[in-house]
Amino acid sequence: MSKTLTLRDLPREEMFAPGHRMCQGCGAALLMRHITKALPKNTVIVQATGCVEVTTTLYPETSWMHPWLHIAFENAAAGASGVEAAVRALRRKGSLPPEKDIKVVAIGGDGGTFDIGIQALSGMLERGHDVLYIVYDNEAYMNTGIQRSGATPFGAWTTTTPVGKAWHGEWRNKKDIIAIALAHRVPYVATVNPAYIPDLYMKVNKAMQTLGPKLIHAYSPCVPGWRYEPSLTVTIAKLAVQTGIWINYEIEKGVLNVTTPVPKRKPVTEYLKLQGRFRHLTSEETKKIQELVDERVAYINKLAGKEVIGPVES
């Protein structure tokens, strides 16, 4: 596949129907529209309960044009494992023609992946099921009222990490879900961002061609939870990459490739000031977030073996 893929090169056919109830400006809506374009038609999608599920499948309507299965918060990976095993069993028994290639994808939010579903995810990765797991990460339990999750970043306001005399937002660091997946020695992991759609398309396509368990971590801005204007979704998504808060990369058979190099980073304040969930931060807390990002950038550059993400511009 060409490395210079552009939006014009993507399939015109839509596999994620409009008319759903997702919020105006929802980052996950952009993700789902283009993820489904990259999936083969013979793909079974197993979807955990969450924002995307409840807003796209209000009976008797659905936005999903692929075969689709809803499953509870905690067991999307277990359900996908079962579907993948059933496909293999049908093929072994001769009930399914060998030339009919059926793929399986599991989709969950950060709550259903980082926290509630992590045991099922670990089992799926450990057993080696040929499944792509995609986690759309809006950094809290947005579907049930903006409670913090294991993906909530340091300093962020949520309803369970409020801002007051005792607490000043989230005080813990975000889990590294990619590192957790890599600990299972999976052949492919990647991060994607809705402001970089061709990059997203190529990674989903590559994952679907890779045999074995795979995981894609998708950055997913959330208008009500992050408290910004709907028109700013792509601006915020781009700033996440330009500041180094989010790094687009992939690790294929142990080799890391940063797919969106950033020679000069913008300071994290450019990203934080657009979101109400960070409005309370002190200068000391902002400084700490910049230090955390600098540490993460240095770690990724070390794994890459060169400086692909540069210093903060002065």
Side-chain angles (χ1 to χ4, degrees), residues 133-195:
Y133 193 103
I134 300 175
V135 48
Y136 65 96
D137 181 6
N138 52 27
E139 301 187 330
Y141 289 85
M142 300 308 184
N143 179 46
T144 52
I146 320 177
Q147 298 92 356
R148 64 84 57 185
S149 77
T152 301
F154 175 84
W157 167 91
T158 70
T159 54
T160 51
T161 54
V163 177
K165 291 181 180 179
W167 291 352
H168 214 238
E170 174 62 76
W171 66 92
R172 291 153 288 203
N173 292 326
K174 184 185 182 89
K175 282 185 191 174
D176 187 346
I177 194 68
I178 290 288
I180 292 171
L182 281 176
H184 297 75
R185 302 181 182 179
V186 298
Y188 187 77
V189 294
T191 61
V192 299
N193 180 305

Side-chain angles (χ1 to χ4, degrees), residues 77 80-81 84 104-106 124-125 128-133 212-215:
S81 299
E84 189 265 352
V104 183
V105 170
M124 186 202 88
L125 300 176
H129 290 279
D130 186 20
V131 174
L132 168 60
Y133 193 103
K214 294 81 61 173
L215 183 138

Side-chain angles (χ1 to χ4, degrees), residues 27 30-31 192-196 219-222 226 228 231-248 260 271 274-275:
L30 290 172
L31 292 168
V192 299
N193 180 305
Y196 300 85
Y219 176 86
S220 184
C222 174
W226 295 13
Y228 65 84
S231 61
L232 294 177
T233 295
V234 173
T235 299
I236 288 173
K238 282 184 178 177
L239 277 171
V241 171
Q242 291 167 350
T243 58
I245 283 178
W246 184 268
I247 300 173
N248 278 338
T260 312
Y271 174 82
L274 296 181
Q275 302 172 55

Side-chain angles (χ1 to χ4, degrees), residues 297-310:
V297 166
Y299 173 71
I300 293 294
N301 281 339
K302 185 176 180 180
L303 291 180
K306 57 184 177 181
E307 187 178 272
V308 282
I309 307 294

Side-chain angles (χ1 to χ4, degrees), residues 246-301:
W246 184 268
I247 300 173
N248 278 338
Y249 65 97
E250 62 183 357
I251 301 178
E252 187 175 9
K253 296 180 180 176
V255 179
L256 183 142
N257 174 37
V258 174
T259 56
T260 312
V262 183
K264 290 284 186 181
R265 276 183 289 146
K266 295 181 182 295
V268 296
T269 50
E270 296 296 307
Y271 174 82
L272 301 174
K273 69 182 181 183
L274 296 181
Q275 302 172 55
R277 62 176 176 157
F278 295 120
R279 192 168 295 147
H280 58 279
L281 292 179
T282 64
S283 58
E284 289 77 15
E285 290 166 331
T286 300
K287 182 181 177 185
K288 179 171 180 178
I289 292 172
Q290 184 67 67
E291 290 172 351
L292 290 171
V293 172
D294 292 346
E295 289 174 8
R296 179 68 179 169
V297 166
Y299 173 71
I300 293 294
N301 281 339

